[in-house]
Amino acid sequence: MRHITRGRRHAAVAALAVGAVLALTACGTGSGGDSGGDAATELGEFEDSVSILAWPGYVEDGSNDPAVDWVTGFEEKTGCTVESKTYGTSDEAVNLMKTGDYDVVAASGDATLRLIAGGDVAEVNTDLIPSYAGVFDFLKDQQWNSVDGKSYGVPHGYGANLLLYNTEVVTPAPTSWDIVFDKASQYTGKITAYDSPIYIADAAVYLMAHQPDLGIENPYALDETQFQAAVDLLKEQRPHISEYWSDYLKEIQAFETTDSVAGTTWQVIQNVLAGEDAPTDVVLPDEGATGWSDTWMIASEAKSPNCAYAWLDWIASPETNAQATAYFGEAPSSQEACDYRDDCEAYHAGDADYAAQIWYWTTPIAECVDGRTDVECVDYAQWTEAWSEIKG
């Protein structure tokens, strides 16, 4: 895998993506453009600079590694000097965007709806972003990046939260998440799980297949009964957990020492283990999986909207997107980007059937994102409270 060492280092930072959120009851509106109204209809002259807020590894200018630089080319092409700041959690990103100091933000699905509901980001006119046309269709117009048919950003990259297992201990090869849930007792004390409230959705994905009477249609839209079932499943899992991981290095070490033999992971982590000849493999289980698809968004009161639009087009362009997503350790957002990468197959880039099995992180809100209007769903603030109870 190209840039594997750097990619895995920065992929680890994404593990901090989820934090407590305020209860949201509606996300149907969001401001846009310079005036805070509709999306821009045309672009003007570039401003002198653009301020970007992003995950580490998303805005590289060669200062961390001279060989990793997709900022300089942008500055030379547009004349927009890039000023960037990194953040460690989605909660931090949401709070920073409220300051009005940033023109652009790269947001994960657990932050996007908050930003839209708060009027902190603008609707974008994708006609003004030529690179958008090449973005995979299955990443466009999704509930974490669009509201009421309006697009609020450009997809960056994506990935699934896969099932990682020790091929010498876990036999036969698993095809279901049952080995970390209903059959976890077979490997008690050696099961690992992602350390975040959003992991409740992983339990919900499992219940969708194994307890259909619950009527779960979307793992991020859970009413009280459905939510409690997911929480109960995770409480049953708790005694079998070796550790909850958020540091990818610790998960790698745990699988190398066999302290853990099965649990949630990312493809980039398996790539590292395979490179070290560890007896591990990954699978996208029959039930499907959760995952992520980050979105580049423009501030509703952007001081440099023209440079902001230019950045969204640049970061989605094939060569730039290929470099950025490879560095981070995720699938790119377009097939054309794969012309500049040699590992797209490992990430199942462009495989629509594979992508359809992924439930991308989406902010749970009181207004059910599955479209139900006869019940109220459990919002993410309550997910956070429940997660503390689950871990004990």
Side-chain angles (χ1 to χ4, degrees):
M1 173 187 172
R2 190 177 301 166
H3 305 311
I4 181 63
T5 301
R6 295 183 293 273
R8 59 177 176 157
R9 182 176 71 239
H10 291 293
V13 186
L16 301 173
V18 192
V21 300
L22 298 175
L24 298 178
T25 57
C27 286
T29 60
S31 55
D34 288 339
S35 65
D38 296 332
T41 57
E42 61 181 7
L43 298 180
E45 295 183 2
F46 294 133
E47 301 83 7
D48 293 333
S49 64
V50 62
S51 181
I52 302 174
L53 182 64
W55 291 111
Y58 270 25
V59 185
E60 292 294 312
D61 61 4
S63 57
N64 290 321
D65 184 333
V68 181
D69 179 5
W70 50 88
V71 168
T72 300
F74 171 77
E75 293 178 328
E76 292 175 345
K77 179 180 180 180
T78 64
C80 304
T81 300
V82 171
E83 301 169 354
S84 66
K85 178 180 176 60
T86 59
Y87 62 85
T89 69
S90 288
D91 218 31
E92 181 184 356
V94 171
N95 290 331
L96 286 170
M97 284 301 292
K98 292 184 181 302
T99 66
D101 293 338
Y102 305 96
D103 300 305
V104 175
V105 60
S108 292
D110 57 310
T112 51
L113 292 187
R114 283 187 280 167
L115 292 169
I116 295 170
D120 301 309
V121 293
E123 175 191 354
V124 299
N125 182 348
T126 57
D127 290 340
L128 301 178
I129 306 171
S131 296
Y132 186 79
V135 172
F136 293 127
D137 287 341
F138 56 78
L139 296 179
K140 297 177 179 178
D141 303 318
Q142 299 298 325
Q143 59 192 200
W144 62 88
N145 59 31
S146 301
V147 173
D148 294 339
K150 299 178 180 180
S151 175
Y152 283 85
V154 174
H156 177 68
Y158 67 100
N161 297 313
L162 303 169
L163 173 59
L164 175 65
Y165 63 97
N166 184 302
T167 56
E168 296 177 349
V169 177
V170 181
T171 57
T175 60
S176 169
W177 287 108
D178 60 4
I179 67 168
V180 301
F181 289 123
D182 290 336
K183 297 181 180 178
S185 60
Q186 296 179 11
Y187 307 101
T188 189
K190 291 184 178 292
I191 300 295
T192 185
Y194 186 53
D195 189 3
S196 164
I198 206 70
Y199 185 66
I200 294 172
D202 291 58
V205 168
Y206 183 74
L207 292 172
M208 287 171 68
H210 296 273
Q211 292 188 33
D213 290 347
L214 286 169
I216 299 175
E217 298 291 337
N218 184 309
Y220 307 103
L222 306 177
D223 60 34
E224 288 289 349
T225 299
Q226 296 166 338
F227 181 74
Q228 192 57 53
V231 170
D232 289 344
L233 180 61
L234 292 175
K235 287 182 177 179
E236 293 171 5
Q237 180 198 54
R238 180 66 182 91
H240 308 297
I241 294 290
S242 55
E243 67 175 352
Y244 292 100
W245 71 274
S246 60
D247 183 335
Y248 81 106
L249 288 174
K250 290 184 177 180
E251 184 177 44
I252 289 172
Q253 182 179 28
F255 274 84
E256 288 177 331
T257 61
T258 69
D259 287 342
S260 295
V261 299
T264 314
T265 197
W266 303 320
Q267 180 65 52
V268 67
I269 293 176
Q270 167 57 17
N271 291 349
V272 175
L273 288 165
E276 298 176 357
D277 296 323
T280 61
D281 203 352
V282 293
V283 63
L284 180 66
D286 294 338
E287 299 92 350
T290 60
W292 73 92
S293 172
D294 291 346
T295 304
W296 288 100
M297 313 179 88
I298 298 177
S300 56
E301 301 297 332
K303 299 179 179 65
S304 301
N306 299 298
C307 285
Y309 264 89
W311 175 262
L312 264 61
D313 185 52
W314 176 262
I315 199 66
S317 62
E319 186 171 3
T320 304
N321 188 257
Q323 189 176 7
T325 54
Y327 186 63
F328 193 84
E330 59 191 331
S333 64
S334 71
Q335 189 61 50
E336 290 79 4
C338 287
D339 292 340
Y340 299 92
R341 287 181 59 171
D342 55 15
D343 59 351
C344 274
E345 185 175 353
Y347 287 91
H348 300 272
D351 186 337
D353 291 337
Y354 184 91
Q357 300 176 69
I358 304 173
W359 291 94
Y360 299 97
W361 286 344
T362 303
T363 310
I365 57 177
E367 182 179 328
C368 302
V369 296
D370 63 358
R372 285 181 293 170
T373 58
D374 58 336
V375 296
E376 187 173 277
C377 282
V378 179
D379 65 44
Y380 206 22
Q382 296 175 73
W383 283 49
T384 302
E385 294 176 5
W387 185 243
S388 296
E389 295 178 5
I390 290 165
K391 292 180 63 178

